Amino acid sequence: MAKPDGVMRRITILGSTGSIGESTLSLLEYAAAKGETAFEIEALTANRNVAKLAEQARKFRPKYVAIADAGLKQDLVDATGDLDVETGAGEEAVIDAAARNADWVMAAIVGAAGLQPTLTAAKRGADIALANKECLVCAGDVVTAAIREAGGALLPVDSEHNAIFQVFDFDRPHRISKLILTASGGPFRTWSEDDMAAATPAQAVAHPNWSMGAKISVDSATMMNKGLELIEAAHIFPIDHKHIDILVHPQSVIHSMVEYVDGSVLAQLGSPDMRTPIASTLAWPDRTPSPSAKLDLVETGKLTFEAPDIERFPAIRLAREAVAGGGAMPGMLNAANEVGVAAFLSDRIKFLDIAAITEQVLEVASRHKTNAVLTTLEEAIAADAEARRLAEEAVVARAAA
Ligand code: NAD
Ligand code: MG
């Protein structure tokens, strides 16, 4: 994407083989076909999907590709042997990709694994298009400080935060009374607790409005996604978490809202397609065309709203407790949830166990005395590891029960 001054942009995509990564590449292709763009790809990274990464390298000609799984080093070399591209393998190689000199970086790795690469790109002053919400949840203070100090822009990709970013008056934050995060309610919005108790992974990942990776889809089903987003919002925007509401809006047309002190409520709307928020971060502060369907409100007909059901979706309560506890608590919530989701997706535990395990870990976490603000990455990493250990124990206990 050309910057406003017409200079070519160098782009890196961390997590290029995922849902957000692929949407980003498809947008770049679309913009190029429209003659809108001047970009080159510096680096692409993936976890294990060598075939897709090699295919992307063939098409987009990055200078560097990295695969996180060190055991796949030779596979990547073989798959890209005919291309003029440097390769790397292992966690360090993904961090190397982030360190390379791109001026716009899409942070689209899923989970806490995205933290160190994102932080690396932030520290050298790149503009960060941030999809990876988990890295703000587990080390938001550290990541936002790094971006601020190095002078890059933090461009939220998550549709809710992207919506708020577009209507938030950063010059007068004291005139904002609250943020309203909208939530689709996920696939189990109308399910009874008994039905949810028997939900399968296939049912949990079948989101009614959005097509996304497996982890975030399960998070939408538990509504932990909205809990993580609440914590994410409190880091991105200068507003206290107590002034962030969650509103269920099943059509996913209003992507979130900002209420001002005079009673005005500003919203951003669009069809539920991540290519719109991604396009807005790609071109920011300009705009660029996106192939996403234009919103047709006559066809939509009705927009409805309801309060979230905290009884059936305890994840929202847990996220509020974690953000109020501060310090390492949000990171421990996130790590426990990641372990729970992975265990559910591999059929080791039941759907409702995800939140139950997360609650168990948070109870232990709340007995630790931690600093209210995390100042170092090491603290975040230690809390993440501790919560994973506790959650894994809880998974084993439940799987055996
Ligand atoms: P996905 O599972 O489709 O893709 C994840 C990407 O990360 C893949 O490229 C994968 O190879 C890579 N990856 C996974 N584990 C890794 C590891 N350990 N080390 C290095 N790379 C690894 O996920 P997604 O749906 O694209 O979501 C990506 C992030 O964006 C998540 O944090 C998610 O919460 C957030 N997000 C996604 C959407 C969406 O619509 N998909 C919307 C809002 C926010
Ligand atoms: Mg979202």
Side-chain angles (χ1 to χ4, degrees), residues 14-22 45-49 68-69 91 94 107-111 113-114 117 130-135 157-160 210-216 219 225 228-229 232 274:
L14 304 170
S16 64
T17 55
S19 166
I20 296 286
E22 287 205 288
T45 81
N47 190 24
R48 308 198 73 246
N49 195 339
D69 185 333
E91 282 173 31
V94 177
I109 291 172
V110 61
L130 190 66
N132 176 289
K133 61 190 79 187
E134 295 89 348
C135 82
V157 172
D158 209 348
S159 58
E160 296 75 5
W210 299 96
S211 152
M212 312 183 283
K215 194 264 174 176
I216 182 173
D219 285 346
N225 184 47
L228 298 178
E229 289 184 354
E232 185 187 5
M274 286 306 292

mmCIF file of all heavy atoms in Angstrom, residues 14-22 45-49 68-69 91 94 107-111 113-114 117 130-135 157-160 210-216 219 225 228-229 232 274, ligand 1:
data_model
loop_
_atom_site.group_PDB
_atom_site.id
_atom_site.type_symbol
_atom_site.label_atom_id
_atom_site.label_comp_id
_atom_site.label_asym_id
_atom_site.label_seq_id
_atom_site.Cartn_x
_atom_site.Cartn_y
_atom_site.Cartn_z
ATOM 1 N N LEU A 14 3.011 -11.569 10.044
ATOM 2 C CA LEU A 14 3.305 -12.618 11.024
ATOM 3 C C LEU A 14 2.043 -13.459 11.151
ATOM 4 O O LEU A 14 1.008 -12.959 11.582
ATOM 5 C CB LEU A 14 3.661 -11.975 12.376
ATOM 6 C CG LEU A 14 4.823 -10.975 12.343
ATOM 7 C CD1 LEU A 14 4.921 -10.222 13.685
ATOM 8 C CD2 LEU A 14 6.136 -11.681 12.031
ATOM 9 N N GLY A 15 2.111 -14.721 10.744
ATOM 10 C CA GLY A 15 0.898 -15.563 10.725
ATOM 11 C C GLY A 15 0.190 -15.444 9.384
ATOM 12 O O GLY A 15 -1.027 -15.321 9.319
ATOM 13 N N SER A 16 0.976 -15.499 8.287
ATOM 14 C CA SER A 16 0.395 -15.236 6.951
ATOM 15 C C SER A 16 -0.509 -16.362 6.456
ATOM 16 O O SER A 16 -1.304 -16.159 5.553
ATOM 17 C CB SER A 16 1.507 -14.989 5.934
ATOM 18 O OG SER A 16 2.297 -16.151 5.774
ATOM 19 N N THR A 17 -0.386 -17.563 7.048
ATOM 20 C CA THR A 17 -1.179 -18.690 6.553
ATOM 21 C C THR A 17 -2.528 -18.817 7.260
ATOM 22 O O THR A 17 -3.316 -19.694 6.926
ATOM 23 C CB THR A 17 -0.401 -20.012 6.744
ATOM 24 O OG1 THR A 17 -0.048 -20.118 8.140
ATOM 25 C CG2 THR A 17 0.857 -20.041 5.904
ATOM 26 N N GLY A 18 -2.798 -17.951 8.236
ATOM 27 C CA GLY A 18 -4.070 -18.026 8.970
ATOM 28 C C GLY A 18 -5.165 -17.236 8.268
ATOM 29 O O GLY A 18 -4.973 -16.698 7.167
ATOM 30 N N SER A 19 -6.298 -17.189 8.932
ATOM 31 C CA SER A 19 -7.468 -16.515 8.374
ATOM 32 C C SER A 19 -7.183 -15.024 8.119
ATOM 33 O O SER A 19 -7.412 -14.505 7.023
ATOM 34 C CB SER A 19 -8.628 -16.725 9.363
ATOM 35 O OG SER A 19 -9.686 -15.887 9.086
ATOM 36 N N ILE A 20 -6.634 -14.332 9.119
ATOM 37 C CA ILE A 20 -6.321 -12.902 8.957
ATOM 38 C C ILE A 20 -5.166 -12.717 7.972
ATOM 39 O O ILE A 20 -5.196 -11.829 7.115
ATOM 40 C CB ILE A 20 -5.953 -12.270 10.324
ATOM 41 C CG1 ILE A 20 -7.157 -12.312 11.273
ATOM 42 C CG2 ILE A 20 -5.415 -10.859 10.162
ATOM 43 C CD1 ILE A 20 -8.251 -11.332 10.975
ATOM 44 N N GLY A 21 -4.155 -13.577 8.086
ATOM 45 C CA GLY A 21 -3.003 -13.476 7.188
ATOM 46 C C GLY A 21 -3.416 -13.617 5.730
ATOM 47 O O GLY A 21 -3.023 -12.815 4.874
ATOM 48 N N GLU A 22 -4.236 -14.596 5.449
ATOM 49 C CA GLU A 22 -4.668 -14.812 4.060
ATOM 50 C C GLU A 22 -5.552 -13.664 3.563
ATOM 51 O O GLU A 22 -5.462 -13.257 2.403
ATOM 52 C CB GLU A 22 -5.417 -16.136 3.949
ATOM 53 C CG GLU A 22 -4.489 -17.326 4.060
ATOM 54 C CD GLU A 22 -5.057 -18.549 3.377
ATOM 55 O OE1 GLU A 22 -6.028 -19.126 3.919
ATOM 56 O OE2 GLU A 22 -4.553 -18.929 2.307
ATOM 57 N N THR A 45 5.399 -15.447 7.775
ATOM 58 C CA THR A 45 5.692 -16.520 8.737
ATOM 59 C C THR A 45 4.477 -17.407 8.952
ATOM 60 O O THR A 45 3.339 -16.974 8.778
ATOM 61 C CB THR A 45 6.124 -15.973 10.124
ATOM 62 O OG1 THR A 45 4.953 -15.591 10.873
ATOM 63 C CG2 THR A 45 7.061 -14.784 10.017
ATOM 64 N N ALA A 46 4.766 -18.664 9.341
ATOM 65 C CA ALA A 46 3.694 -19.615 9.661
ATOM 66 C C ALA A 46 4.160 -20.533 10.779
ATOM 67 O O ALA A 46 5.356 -20.547 11.121
ATOM 68 C CB ALA A 46 3.348 -20.435 8.429
ATOM 69 N N ASN A 47 3.228 -21.293 11.310
ATOM 70 C CA ASN A 47 3.567 -22.215 12.395
ATOM 71 C C ASN A 47 4.091 -23.537 11.835
ATOM 72 O O ASN A 47 5.246 -23.888 12.013
ATOM 73 C CB ASN A 47 2.325 -22.447 13.261
ATOM 74 C CG ASN A 47 2.656 -23.194 14.536
ATOM 75 O OD1 ASN A 47 3.792 -23.148 14.994
ATOM 76 N ND2 ASN A 47 1.678 -23.878 15.088
ATOM 77 N N ARG A 48 3.210 -24.262 11.069
ATOM 78 C CA ARG A 48 3.606 -25.588 10.575
ATOM 79 C C ARG A 48 3.263 -25.802 9.100
ATOM 80 O O ARG A 48 3.674 -26.792 8.522
ATOM 81 C CB ARG A 48 2.916 -26.683 11.405
ATOM 82 C CG ARG A 48 3.088 -26.537 12.912
ATOM 83 C CD ARG A 48 2.777 -27.834 13.659
ATOM 84 N NE ARG A 48 3.849 -28.799 13.447
ATOM 85 C CZ ARG A 48 3.727 -29.931 12.794
ATOM 86 N NH1 ARG A 48 2.558 -30.278 12.320
ATOM 87 N NH2 ARG A 48 4.746 -30.738 12.637
ATOM 88 N N ASN A 49 2.459 -24.921 8.528
ATOM 89 C CA ASN A 49 1.953 -25.175 7.180
ATOM 90 C C ASN A 49 2.971 -24.763 6.098
ATOM 91 O O ASN A 49 2.879 -23.696 5.487
ATOM 92 C CB ASN A 49 0.627 -24.427 6.988
ATOM 93 C CG ASN A 49 -0.140 -24.934 5.775
ATOM 94 O OD1 ASN A 49 0.439 -25.534 4.879
ATOM 95 N ND2 ASN A 49 -1.444 -24.687 5.762
ATOM 96 N N ALA A 68 7.678 -21.603 12.265
ATOM 97 C CA ALA A 68 7.948 -21.615 13.712
ATOM 98 C C ALA A 68 8.425 -22.981 14.204
ATOM 99 O O ALA A 68 9.193 -23.068 15.157
ATOM 100 C CB ALA A 68 6.704 -21.176 14.479
ATOM 101 N N ASP A 69 7.950 -24.035 13.559
ATOM 102 C CA ASP A 69 8.335 -25.380 13.980
ATOM 103 C C ASP A 69 9.727 -25.713 13.426
ATOM 104 O O ASP A 69 9.898 -25.934 12.220
ATOM 105 C CB ASP A 69 7.284 -26.376 13.445
ATOM 106 C CG ASP A 69 7.547 -27.789 13.932
ATOM 107 O OD1 ASP A 69 8.719 -28.135 14.210
ATOM 108 O OD2 ASP A 69 6.568 -28.559 14.026
ATOM 109 N N GLU A 91 11.294 -20.697 16.624
ATOM 110 C CA GLU A 91 10.702 -19.473 17.197
ATOM 111 C C GLU A 91 11.578 -18.249 16.921
ATOM 112 O O GLU A 91 11.074 -17.159 16.650
ATOM 113 C CB GLU A 91 10.533 -19.635 18.710
ATOM 114 C CG GLU A 91 9.330 -20.477 19.086
ATOM 115 C CD GLU A 91 9.263 -20.789 20.572
ATOM 116 O OE1 GLU A 91 9.735 -19.961 21.377
ATOM 117 O OE2 GLU A 91 8.741 -21.863 20.916
ATOM 118 N N VAL A 94 11.009 -16.665 13.558
ATOM 119 C CA VAL A 94 9.809 -15.822 13.469
ATOM 120 C C VAL A 94 10.125 -14.435 14.038
ATOM 121 O O VAL A 94 9.719 -13.400 13.482
ATOM 122 C CB VAL A 94 8.615 -16.477 14.201
ATOM 123 C CG1 VAL A 94 7.399 -15.569 14.170
ATOM 124 C CG2 VAL A 94 8.288 -17.835 13.564
ATOM 125 N N ALA A 107 0.261 -8.265 12.710
ATOM 126 C CA ALA A 107 0.498 -9.223 13.797
ATOM 127 C C ALA A 107 -0.701 -10.158 13.869
ATOM 128 O O ALA A 107 -1.696 -9.856 14.524
ATOM 129 C CB ALA A 107 0.697 -8.473 15.117
ATOM 130 N N ALA A 108 -0.612 -11.273 13.163
ATOM 131 C CA ALA A 108 -1.770 -12.176 13.049
ATOM 132 C C ALA A 108 -1.444 -13.609 13.446
ATOM 133 O O ALA A 108 -2.071 -14.552 12.983
ATOM 134 C CB ALA A 108 -2.333 -12.130 11.632
ATOM 135 N N ILE A 109 -0.444 -13.752 14.329
ATOM 136 C CA ILE A 109 -0.209 -15.068 14.938
ATOM 137 C C ILE A 109 -1.289 -15.226 16.006
ATOM 138 O O ILE A 109 -1.686 -14.249 16.640
ATOM 139 C CB ILE A 109 1.209 -15.126 15.554
ATOM 140 C CG1 ILE A 109 2.254 -15.117 14.433
ATOM 141 C CG2 ILE A 109 1.375 -16.333 16.473
ATOM 142 C CD1 ILE A 109 3.681 -14.986 14.910
ATOM 143 N N VAL A 110 -1.778 -16.447 16.211
ATOM 144 C CA VAL A 110 -2.794 -16.646 17.233
ATOM 145 C C VAL A 110 -2.123 -16.986 18.571
ATOM 146 O O VAL A 110 -1.112 -17.689 18.608
ATOM 147 C CB VAL A 110 -3.818 -17.742 16.815
ATOM 148 C CG1 VAL A 110 -3.154 -19.083 16.619
ATOM 149 C CG2 VAL A 110 -4.953 -17.849 17.831
ATOM 150 N N GLY A 111 -2.664 -16.415 19.644
ATOM 151 C CA GLY A 111 -2.218 -16.789 20.984
ATOM 152 C C GLY A 111 -1.003 -16.030 21.471
ATOM 153 O O GLY A 111 -0.448 -15.172 20.782
ATOM 154 N N ALA A 113 1.867 -16.917 21.623
ATOM 155 C CA ALA A 113 3.037 -17.134 20.763
ATOM 156 C C ALA A 113 3.343 -15.896 19.925
ATOM 157 O O ALA A 113 4.460 -15.719 19.446
ATOM 158 C CB ALA A 113 2.810 -18.338 19.849
ATOM 159 N N GLY A 114 2.351 -15.023 19.760
ATOM 160 C CA GLY A 114 2.558 -13.824 18.950
ATOM 161 C C GLY A 114 3.252 -12.699 19.699
ATOM 162 O O GLY A 114 3.647 -11.693 19.101
ATOM 163 N N PRO A 117 7.336 -11.875 18.781
ATOM 164 C CA PRO A 117 7.488 -11.296 17.440
ATOM 165 C C PRO A 117 6.838 -9.903 17.334
ATOM 166 O O PRO A 117 7.443 -8.972 16.777
ATOM 167 C CB PRO A 117 6.768 -12.298 16.529
ATOM 168 C CG PRO A 117 6.771 -13.586 17.284
ATOM 169 C CD PRO A 117 6.729 -13.219 18.734
ATOM 170 N N LEU A 130 -2.642 -4.706 14.497
ATOM 171 C CA LEU A 130 -2.682 -5.717 15.555
ATOM 172 C C LEU A 130 -3.964 -6.537 15.513
ATOM 173 O O LEU A 130 -5.037 -6.050 15.854
ATOM 174 C CB LEU A 130 -2.544 -5.034 16.920
ATOM 175 C CG LEU A 130 -2.337 -5.980 18.087
ATOM 176 C CD1 LEU A 130 -0.999 -6.686 17.988
ATOM 177 C CD2 LEU A 130 -2.428 -5.240 19.403
ATOM 178 N N ALA A 131 -3.828 -7.796 15.076
ATOM 179 C CA ALA A 131 -4.963 -8.724 15.156
ATOM 180 C C ALA A 131 -4.835 -9.577 16.409
ATOM 181 O O ALA A 131 -5.826 -9.914 17.040
ATOM 182 C CB ALA A 131 -5.003 -9.609 13.915
ATOM 183 N N ASN A 132 -3.594 -9.891 16.768
ATOM 184 C CA ASN A 132 -3.336 -10.796 17.898
ATOM 185 C C ASN A 132 -3.714 -10.153 19.235
ATOM 186 O O ASN A 132 -2.933 -9.427 19.837
ATOM 187 C CB ASN A 132 -1.849 -11.187 17.891
ATOM 188 C CG ASN A 132 -1.480 -12.035 19.086
ATOM 189 O OD1 ASN A 132 -1.430 -11.552 20.211
ATOM 190 N ND2 ASN A 132 -1.238 -13.294 18.863
ATOM 191 N N LYS A 133 -4.943 -10.428 19.672
ATOM 192 C CA LYS A 133 -5.437 -9.800 20.902
ATOM 193 C C LYS A 133 -4.759 -10.365 22.129
ATOM 194 O O LYS A 133 -4.598 -9.695 23.129
ATOM 195 C CB LYS A 133 -6.953 -9.940 21.003
ATOM 196 C CG LYS A 133 -7.456 -11.362 21.042
ATOM 197 C CD LYS A 133 -8.970 -11.428 20.889
ATOM 198 C CE LYS A 133 -9.388 -11.268 19.447
ATOM 199 N NZ LYS A 133 -10.822 -11.169 19.230
ATOM 200 N N GLU A 134 -4.343 -11.662 22.043
ATOM 201 C CA GLU A 134 -3.766 -12.308 23.221
ATOM 202 C C GLU A 134 -2.513 -11.580 23.698
ATOM 203 O O GLU A 134 -2.223 -11.540 24.896
ATOM 204 C CB GLU A 134 -3.453 -13.778 22.935
ATOM 205 C CG GLU A 134 -4.686 -14.653 22.651
ATOM 206 C CD GLU A 134 -5.086 -14.695 21.164
ATOM 207 O OE1 GLU A 134 -4.556 -13.884 20.367
ATOM 208 O OE2 GLU A 134 -5.933 -15.541 20.802
ATOM 209 N N CYS A 135 -1.762 -10.976 22.763
ATOM 210 C CA CYS A 135 -0.515 -10.340 23.205
ATOM 211 C C CYS A 135 -0.805 -9.055 23.983
ATOM 212 O O CYS A 135 -0.050 -8.694 24.875
ATOM 213 C CB CYS A 135 0.492 -10.172 22.071
ATOM 214 S SG CYS A 135 0.258 -8.784 21.023
ATOM 215 N N VAL A 157 -6.874 -4.217 14.447
ATOM 216 C CA VAL A 157 -7.519 -4.974 13.368
ATOM 217 C C VAL A 157 -8.817 -5.625 13.851
ATOM 218 O O VAL A 157 -9.780 -5.730 13.094
ATOM 219 C CB VAL A 157 -6.554 -6.061 12.830
ATOM 220 C CG1 VAL A 157 -7.245 -6.999 11.853
ATOM 221 C CG2 VAL A 157 -5.344 -5.408 12.175
ATOM 222 N N ASP A 158 -8.821 -6.057 15.097
ATOM 223 C CA ASP A 158 -10.017 -6.687 15.653
ATOM 224 C C ASP A 158 -11.198 -5.750 15.337
ATOM 225 O O ASP A 158 -11.107 -4.535 15.561
ATOM 226 C CB ASP A 158 -9.818 -6.828 17.173
ATOM 227 C CG ASP A 158 -10.571 -8.014 17.733
ATOM 228 O OD1 ASP A 158 -11.415 -8.579 17.014
ATOM 229 O OD2 ASP A 158 -10.310 -8.358 18.903
ATOM 230 N N SER A 159 -12.280 -6.289 14.798
ATOM 231 C CA SER A 159 -13.301 -5.423 14.192
ATOM 232 C C SER A 159 -13.881 -4.412 15.190
ATOM 233 O O SER A 159 -14.142 -3.264 14.826
ATOM 234 C CB SER A 159 -14.419 -6.274 13.591
ATOM 235 O OG SER A 159 -14.989 -7.094 14.574
ATOM 236 N N GLU A 160 -14.043 -4.839 16.452
ATOM 237 C CA GLU A 160 -14.606 -3.938 17.460
ATOM 238 C C GLU A 160 -13.666 -2.763 17.722
ATOM 239 O O GLU A 160 -14.082 -1.612 17.778
ATOM 240 C CB GLU A 160 -14.845 -4.690 18.780
ATOM 241 C CG GLU A 160 -15.869 -5.811 18.692
ATOM 242 C CD GLU A 160 -15.351 -7.074 17.994
ATOM 243 O OE1 GLU A 160 -14.141 -7.127 17.653
ATOM 244 O OE2 GLU A 160 -16.152 -7.988 17.772
ATOM 245 N N TRP A 210 -19.055 -14.895 11.223
ATOM 246 C CA TRP A 210 -17.666 -14.657 10.833
ATOM 247 C C TRP A 210 -16.978 -15.985 10.509
ATOM 248 O O TRP A 210 -17.226 -16.991 11.168
ATOM 249 C CB TRP A 210 -16.880 -14.020 11.983
ATOM 250 C CG TRP A 210 -17.353 -12.690 12.470
ATOM 251 C CD1 TRP A 210 -18.181 -12.457 13.531
ATOM 252 C CD2 TRP A 210 -17.000 -11.392 11.968
ATOM 253 N NE1 TRP A 210 -18.347 -11.104 13.707
ATOM 254 C CE2 TRP A 210 -17.638 -10.429 12.769
ATOM 255 C CE3 TRP A 210 -16.183 -10.956 10.909
ATOM 256 C CZ2 TRP A 210 -17.511 -9.053 12.552
ATOM 257 C CZ3 TRP A 210 -16.054 -9.587 10.696
ATOM 258 C CH2 TRP A 210 -16.715 -8.655 11.511
ATOM 259 N N SER A 211 -16.093 -15.944 9.530
ATOM 260 C CA SER A 211 -15.266 -17.110 9.243
ATOM 261 C C SER A 211 -13.871 -16.839 9.802
ATOM 262 O O SER A 211 -13.195 -15.912 9.370
ATOM 263 C CB SER A 211 -15.249 -17.323 7.730
ATOM 264 O OG SER A 211 -14.064 -17.940 7.352
ATOM 265 N N MET A 212 -13.436 -17.635 10.798
ATOM 266 C CA MET A 212 -12.207 -17.309 11.535
ATOM 267 C C MET A 212 -11.438 -18.583 11.858
ATOM 268 O O MET A 212 -11.930 -19.688 11.650
ATOM 269 C CB MET A 212 -12.558 -16.616 12.862
ATOM 270 C CG MET A 212 -13.554 -15.480 12.734
ATOM 271 S SD MET A 212 -13.872 -14.620 14.292
ATOM 272 C CE MET A 212 -14.962 -15.766 15.115
ATOM 273 N N GLY A 213 -10.244 -18.419 12.433
ATOM 274 C CA GLY A 213 -9.464 -19.565 12.886
ATOM 275 C C GLY A 213 -10.177 -20.291 14.023
ATOM 276 O O GLY A 213 -11.099 -19.753 14.646
ATOM 277 N N ALA A 214 -9.736 -21.538 14.296
ATOM 278 C CA ALA A 214 -10.439 -22.386 15.266
ATOM 279 C C ALA A 214 -10.419 -21.801 16.676
ATOM 280 O O ALA A 214 -11.432 -21.810 17.380
ATOM 281 C CB ALA A 214 -9.809 -23.774 15.279
ATOM 282 N N LYS A 215 -9.281 -21.262 17.102
ATOM 283 C CA LYS A 215 -9.181 -20.812 18.497
ATOM 284 C C LYS A 215 -10.142 -19.668 18.774
ATOM 285 O O LYS A 215 -10.912 -19.706 19.733
ATOM 286 C CB LYS A 215 -7.723 -20.427 18.798
ATOM 287 C CG LYS A 215 -7.425 -20.264 20.285
ATOM 288 C CD LYS A 215 -7.518 -18.837 20.744
ATOM 289 C CE LYS A 215 -7.360 -18.704 22.244
ATOM 290 N NZ LYS A 215 -7.357 -17.293 22.653
ATOM 291 N N ILE A 216 -10.113 -18.647 17.929
ATOM 292 C CA ILE A 216 -10.996 -17.495 18.167
ATOM 293 C C ILE A 216 -12.464 -17.909 17.989
ATOM 294 O O ILE A 216 -13.350 -17.368 18.653
ATOM 295 C CB ILE A 216 -10.628 -16.279 17.284
ATOM 296 C CG1 ILE A 216 -11.550 -15.093 17.592
ATOM 297 C CG2 ILE A 216 -10.638 -16.579 15.817
ATOM 298 C CD1 ILE A 216 -11.173 -13.797 16.896
ATOM 299 N N ASP A 219 -13.434 -19.276 21.225
ATOM 300 C CA ASP A 219 -13.552 -18.136 22.139
ATOM 301 C C ASP A 219 -14.871 -17.384 21.926
ATOM 302 O O ASP A 219 -15.429 -16.824 22.873
ATOM 303 C CB ASP A 219 -12.391 -17.156 21.943
ATOM 304 C CG ASP A 219 -11.075 -17.657 22.534
ATOM 305 O OD1 ASP A 219 -11.099 -18.614 23.323
ATOM 306 O OD2 ASP A 219 -10.030 -17.077 22.192
ATOM 307 N N ASN A 225 -13.931 -14.555 23.919
ATOM 308 C CA ASN A 225 -13.456 -13.590 22.928
ATOM 309 C C ASN A 225 -13.818 -12.165 23.351
ATOM 310 O O ASN A 225 -13.000 -11.255 23.277
ATOM 311 C CB ASN A 225 -14.043 -13.916 21.553
ATOM 312 C CG ASN A 225 -13.488 -13.000 20.478
ATOM 313 O OD1 ASN A 225 -12.283 -12.782 20.403
ATOM 314 N ND2 ASN A 225 -14.359 -12.440 19.658
ATOM 315 N N LEU A 228 -11.671 -11.124 26.329
ATOM 316 C CA LEU A 228 -10.320 -10.737 25.897
ATOM 317 C C LEU A 228 -10.369 -9.371 25.223
ATOM 318 O O LEU A 228 -9.487 -8.525 25.412
ATOM 319 C CB LEU A 228 -9.737 -11.775 24.928
ATOM 320 C CG LEU A 228 -9.540 -13.205 25.464
ATOM 321 C CD1 LEU A 228 -9.001 -14.116 24.360
ATOM 322 C CD2 LEU A 228 -8.593 -13.240 26.660
ATOM 323 N N GLU A 229 -11.429 -9.134 24.464
ATOM 324 C CA GLU A 229 -11.549 -7.849 23.759
ATOM 325 C C GLU A 229 -11.751 -6.681 24.711
ATOM 326 O O GLU A 229 -11.314 -5.560 24.448
ATOM 327 C CB GLU A 229 -12.695 -7.922 22.750
ATOM 328 C CG GLU A 229 -12.339 -8.823 21.583
ATOM 329 C CD GLU A 229 -13.378 -8.890 20.477
ATOM 330 O OE1 GLU A 229 -14.473 -8.321 20.642
ATOM 331 O OE2 GLU A 229 -13.097 -9.519 19.447
ATOM 332 N N GLU A 232 -8.362 -5.987 25.899
ATOM 333 C CA GLU A 232 -7.666 -5.387 24.749
ATOM 334 C C GLU A 232 -8.046 -3.902 24.620
ATOM 335 O O GLU A 232 -7.179 -3.031 24.479
ATOM 336 C CB GLU A 232 -8.079 -6.172 23.496
ATOM 337 C CG GLU A 232 -7.382 -5.783 22.215
ATOM 338 C CD GLU A 232 -7.972 -6.500 20.972
ATOM 339 O OE1 GLU A 232 -8.994 -7.222 21.098
ATOM 340 O OE2 GLU A 232 -7.431 -6.317 19.876
ATOM 341 N N MET A 274 -13.758 -9.369 7.669
ATOM 342 C CA MET A 274 -12.542 -8.800 8.248
ATOM 343 C C MET A 274 -11.719 -8.001 7.240
ATOM 344 O O MET A 274 -10.818 -7.256 7.617
ATOM 345 C CB MET A 274 -11.677 -9.913 8.874
ATOM 346 C CG MET A 274 -12.203 -10.460 10.174
ATOM 347 S SD MET A 274 -12.507 -9.183 11.441
ATOM 348 C CE MET A 274 -10.837 -8.640 11.805
HETATM 349 P P1 NAD B 1 -5.573 -18.782 12.478
HETATM 350 O O1 NAD B 1 -5.506 -19.932 13.407
HETATM 351 O O2 NAD B 1 -6.376 -18.877 11.240
HETATM 352 O O3 NAD B 1 -4.070 -18.371 12.047
HETATM 353 C C1 NAD B 1 -3.045 -18.228 12.979
HETATM 354 C C2 NAD B 1 -1.713 -17.945 12.305
HETATM 355 O O4 NAD B 1 -0.697 -17.986 13.319
HETATM 356 C C3 NAD B 1 -1.314 -18.994 11.268
HETATM 357 O O5 NAD B 1 -0.563 -18.379 10.241
HETATM 358 C C4 NAD B 1 -0.410 -19.952 12.063
HETATM 359 O O6 NAD B 1 0.507 -20.623 11.235
HETATM 360 C C5 NAD B 1 0.276 -18.994 13.008
HETATM 361 N N1 NAD B 1 0.674 -19.631 14.274
HETATM 362 C C6 NAD B 1 -0.106 -20.415 15.072
HETATM 363 N N2 NAD B 1 0.574 -20.827 16.150
HETATM 364 C C7 NAD B 1 1.816 -20.291 16.046
HETATM 365 C C8 NAD B 1 2.990 -20.376 16.827
HETATM 366 N N3 NAD B 1 3.034 -21.104 17.969
HETATM 367 N N4 NAD B 1 4.095 -19.700 16.423
HETATM 368 C C9 NAD B 1 4.077 -18.973 15.276
HETATM 369 N N5 NAD B 1 2.990 -18.872 14.477
HETATM 370 C C10 NAD B 1 1.881 -19.529 14.851
HETATM 371 O O7 NAD B 1 -6.046 -17.535 13.364
HETATM 372 P P2 NAD B 1 -6.808 -16.211 12.887
HETATM 373 O O8 NAD B 1 -8.273 -16.434 12.963
HETATM 374 O O9 NAD B 1 -6.192 -15.680 11.649
HETATM 375 O O10 NAD B 1 -6.476 -15.242 14.105
HETATM 376 C C11 NAD B 1 -5.198 -14.638 14.262
HETATM 377 C C12 NAD B 1 -5.272 -13.649 15.420
HETATM 378 O O11 NAD B 1 -6.178 -12.610 15.055
HETATM 379 C C13 NAD B 1 -5.822 -14.238 16.714
HETATM 380 O O12 NAD B 1 -5.156 -13.662 17.794
HETATM 381 C C14 NAD B 1 -7.277 -13.834 16.713
HETATM 382 O O13 NAD B 1 -7.809 -13.680 18.004
HETATM 383 C C15 NAD B 1 -7.204 -12.488 16.013
HETATM 384 N N6 NAD B 1 -8.449 -12.116 15.312
HETATM 385 C C16 NAD B 1 -8.923 -12.890 14.310
HETATM 386 C C17 NAD B 1 -10.107 -12.555 13.683
HETATM 387 C C18 NAD B 1 -10.643 -13.371 12.545
HETATM 388 O O14 NAD B 1 -11.662 -12.998 11.964
HETATM 389 N N7 NAD B 1 -10.045 -14.475 12.163
HETATM 390 C C19 NAD B 1 -10.812 -11.425 14.093
HETATM 391 C C20 NAD B 1 -10.288 -10.641 15.121
HETATM 392 C C21 NAD B 1 -9.094 -10.996 15.723
#
